Amino acid sequence: MLMVKKTISILIFLTALIVAFKFLDASFATKNYFNNTIADFNEQINAQPQDVLIFGSSHAFTAFNPAVIDKLSKTHSFNLGSDGLTLPFTKMVMQKALKQMNPSLVIIEVYPSALKGPMNDQSRGYQLRVLDKTSNLSLEKFTKVLKYYDSNEIPGVYSTMIRNHAKWHEMDLTDLENLETIETRSTYYYKGYRGRTLVIDTVAKPFFNDFRSREDYLKSEAQIVDEKANNELIDLIRLAKSKAQYVLLISAPDLRAKYHWDKSFSDALEAIAEHHEINYLDLNTKYDEMDLRVADFRDQSHLNVKGAFKASKFLSNYINENYSLNPIEFEAHEEAIYTSFLDDYIELRERFFKTAVDGELTQNIVPVSLEAIKKGKTIHFTLAFDQEKIAQSKALDYKLLVKLIPVEAEESLVDPSFSKRGWNYDKADIAITELKELNFSISTNIENFERIELSLYNKEKYQGVVGKRIKINEITFE
């Protein structure tokens, strides 16, 4: 009996030790966007099957927008791309996803640098995002770690606590998912896709002005797709074909392609695709059809949100012409997702609001009207004052505090930098530079407002509100 009690005590102790270790390991993990992708993927597949899965690197998750693909191809798709992901580690993402479903179409994004395993510290760091989401008991993980990481790196690969122990003071015991905060005023996120509104900088832009007129890739004797890369890609294709009805190889638009990529790369992918009876779509040969421009790129190798809209439309048309997917019926909220995306990021449809202002900030600073034009995530305001009174005021000594207070259902849309401070509103501090009317702009994710509040404070130092607050209710943009 004593031996049984001891055994039970040891088992309880070991179980508690394992649970504590796993908890601390999760606490030491680094925040990154792939954590968001996987959390979202698990949520999506619990709600509905995803019939099109996209795998690859940042070229994939910045180019192919499921909001567009779902709408135009009448399907449900998900983008499982991750920063700097190479083919050997893309296979691990695919294995895990395909254990959970049998999609109609698997899309594999490939570009030259992804063909080989990680070659430097930065690349090995990117692969850790996938390894951290893979069980430590996985034989595939063990094989990859031995192949691509030095012996002194292995403990850190298997344990984030060992890897990041020097950052113990940054631990967040309340966020074990380690999700990255997405700045949605400049980034559109949906089902793994992340599109930035940035446009390529003016220094790099002139170099690529002739990117559409360059006829072909560089030609050399180089063998870009060597035997190892060839085998890795074939393994991926076979894995995809084991679960999916269709497989598509694709290369996303990259400004550098016709300047730096070797033609042997696309030739090899064409040959591999043909041999395995699948298609290869090189979007770097379709610039004219997509009407891509330099301004559609956020940097030399990635599309911005408008460029991705063009690429996703082209891909959707290609899917419709070449594959028969399982038809779905779009629900109202899914229609709204696409419409909202167009309004906020592509068409930037203008909506208007105007009202008379009832009240005064001070005795001589009296707003008479507020006009607002909402275009995408930005609202342009014009606040007009009573001209007779303001001429006698000290308005230039103040700043105007503008609070945009959302309806309760949209409090989660408040800028994280404000909500972390306990504020349930977006705000802006506007210097008063004109006495006739004040023009200013505020970027916000909030769509529906409970009210807008206006108040003044001393521009030299905030010492509380000067005068009175004005509250503007019943705000509807039309």
Side-chain angles (χ1 to χ4, degrees), residues 16-254:
L17 194 64
I18 291 169
V19 170
F21 183 83
K22 288 181 73 68
F23 175 78
L24 287 173
D25 223 37
S27 302
F28 274 92
T30 306
K31 292 180 184 292
N32 63 73
Y33 290 113
F34 191 63
N35 291 338
N36 298 56
T37 297
I38 293 302
D40 190 14
F41 179 67
N42 291 330
E43 184 178 328
Q44 291 286 340
I45 62 176
N46 286 332
Q48 58 200 4
Q50 302 297 299
D51 207 35
V52 177
L53 296 184
I54 303 165
F55 298 91
S57 64
S58 56
H59 286 72
F61 75 65
T62 58
F64 308 123
N65 183 352
V68 179
I69 296 168
D70 288 2
K71 170 66 176 176
L72 301 185
S73 293
K74 293 182 172 55
T75 188
H76 288 136
S77 61
F78 200 96
N79 195 320
L80 283 154
S82 182
D83 283 303
L85 201 59
T86 58
L87 291 188
F89 294 85
T90 299
K91 182 180 178 181
M92 298 176 72
V93 180
M94 188 182 293
Q95 283 175 325
K96 193 168 184 178
L98 295 183
K99 281 180 181 178
Q100 302 176 76
M101 67 183 63
N102 296 338
S104 291
L105 173 63
V106 165
I107 299 174
I108 305 170
E109 174 270 318
V110 189
Y111 78 109
S113 295
L115 291 172
K116 300 176 181 178
M119 307 297 289
N120 53 48
D121 288 344
Q122 183 184 44
S123 183
R124 282 191 287 273
Y126 283 141
Q127 315 315 306
L128 289 174
R129 299 180 180 186
V130 170
L131 290 170
D132 286 347
K133 293 296 181 183
T134 306
S135 168
N136 283 344
L137 300 178
S138 164
L139 180 60
E140 184 78 22
K141 178 173 181 175
F142 179 72
T143 304
K144 293 288 192 293
V145 170
L146 284 183
K147 186 173 182 179
Y148 294 108
Y149 290 85
D150 295 335
S151 57
N152 64 314
E153 295 176 311
I154 292 176
V157 171
Y158 275 88
S159 169
T160 58
M161 184 167 61
I162 293 173
R163 185 196 314 158
N164 299 323
H165 67 276
K167 299 180 180 179
W168 62 268
H169 56 288
E170 298 177 10
M171 263 193 338
D172 184 356
L173 300 179
T174 64
D175 180 17
L176 299 185
E177 286 188 300
N178 295 293
L179 305 181
E180 191 66 83
T181 299
I182 296 175
E183 174 45 78
T184 52
R185 288 180 297 182
S186 60
T187 304
Y188 178 77
Y189 173 85
Y190 184 65
K191 293 169 74 173
Y193 165 77
R194 289 202 318 278
R196 299 292 302 279
T197 57
L198 294 174
V199 176
I200 188 170
D201 66 72
T202 54
V203 175
K205 193 174 180 180
F207 181 78
F208 297 105
N209 278 339
D210 65 339
F211 84 105
R212 275 174 62 160
S213 61
R214 294 177 78 90
E215 293 184 1
D216 208 347
Y217 294 108
L218 299 176
K219 295 178 182 178
S220 71
E221 300 299 318
Q223 186 182 16
I224 304 300
V225 184
D226 60 18
E227 185 178 356
K228 283 185 179 179
N230 184 77
N231 292 338
E232 292 283 4
L233 188 52
I234 289 173
D235 280 350
L236 264 184
I237 293 170
R238 286 174 175 164
L239 174 60
K241 291 184 76 171
S242 71
K243 287 296 189 79
Q245 185 177 359
Y246 309 109
V247 179
L248 170 65
L249 291 184
I250 194 168
S251 291
D254 187 321

Side-chain angles (χ1 to χ4, degrees), residues 361-462:
L361 295 169
T362 68
Q363 184 176 359
N364 291 322
I365 305 177
V366 182
V368 293
S369 68
L370 178 69
E371 182 177 329
I373 301 173
K374 190 173 190 302
K375 191 173 182 180
K377 299 290 184 181
T378 302
I379 306 177
H380 305 280
F381 290 95
T382 300
L383 182 65
F385 298 101
D386 183 311
Q387 292 302 290
E388 289 186 11
K389 293 184 177 181
I390 201 168
Q392 305 171 43
S393 74
K394 296 182 179 179
L396 300 181
D397 293 339
Y398 303 122
K399 279 191 174 181
L400 178 71
L401 173 59
V402 183
K403 294 181 181 179
L404 306 180
I405 301 170
V407 296
E408 185 177 353
E410 294 191 11
E411 288 183 356
S412 61
L413 299 180
V414 170
D415 188 302
S417 64
F418 297 145
S419 58
K420 284 179 182 177
R421 302 172 74 171
W423 300 341
N424 65 339
Y425 52 82
D426 283 349
K427 76 175 191 76
D429 301 273
I430 312 298
I432 298 178
T433 57
E434 295 289 338
L435 297 181
K436 182 178 180 181
E437 62 182 26
L438 197 57
N439 294 286
F440 56 93
S441 298
I442 303 176
S443 292
T444 180
N445 293 318
I446 301 167
E447 291 290 334
N448 298 290
F449 302 90
E450 180 71 29
R451 66 184 182 277
I452 295 175
E453 288 189 7
L454 308 175
S455 59
L456 297 175
Y457 65 91
N458 191 300
K459 72 176 183 181
E460 298 300 330
K461 184 179 180 182
Y462 183 83

